Amino acid sequence: MSKEAEDYFLNPPPGSAAARAVDFGIDLTLTLQNLRLTPEERIRQLDDFIAGIAYWCRAKQRRLRLHEYSSEWGDFELWHGLARHLCV
C-alpha cells in the first residue's frame, strides 16, 4: 500500500468519505490494517473467523462450560455474542 493511501486513512481530508466515517465513529485503522494484508491473508483471516464461529456453535450445542473456552480464539465476549446470534 502506498504512503499516500495510508495517510488518507490516518489523516483523512476534511469532507472526504473517510473523514465522515471517522466522524461517525468508524475506526479506519482497522480498515488500514486489512488493506495491508494480501488477498490470501484476508482469506485466511476469514477462514479463522468462520472456524471460530463453528467452534462456538458446537460449544453452544454441547453446552460446554465457560472454563473450556480457549484463549486462542480471542475475545470471549465477542465469540459468545456471535454464537448467540448466529447459531440457531
Side-chain angles (χ1 to χ4, degrees), residues 2-58:
S2 71
K3 178 74 173 138
E4 294 82 23
E6 286 194 20
D7 285 341
Y8 178 81
F9 285 102
L10 295 174
N11 303 300
S16 66
R20 288 191 304 275
V22 169
D23 292 342
F24 189 71
I26 295 173
D27 182 358
L28 293 181
T29 60
L30 297 175
T31 301
L32 185 58
Q33 181 181 10
N34 278 323
L35 290 174
R36 287 179 180 145
L37 299 174
T38 65
E40 182 178 334
E41 290 168 329
R42 288 183 209 145
I43 290 170
R44 281 197 183 124
Q45 194 174 52
L46 180 59
D47 283 345
D48 290 345
F49 177 79
I50 291 169
I53 293 296
Y55 170 84
W56 281 103
C57 288
R58 289 189 306 274

Side-chain angles (χ1 to χ4, degrees), residues 46-85:
L46 180 59
D47 283 345
D48 290 345
F49 177 79
I50 291 169
I53 293 296
Y55 170 84
W56 281 103
C57 288
R58 289 189 306 274
K60 182 181 176 194
Q61 289 170 350
R62 295 181 196 150
R63 299 175 192 234
L64 293 177
R65 297 179 187 270
L66 297 182
H67 73 273
E68 295 182 45
Y69 164 73
S70 171
S71 63
E72 73 183 79
W73 291 102
D75 182 6
F76 170 77
E77 292 299 324
L78 169 69
W79 289 115
H80 182 68
L82 287 171
R84 202 173 52 227
H85 293 290

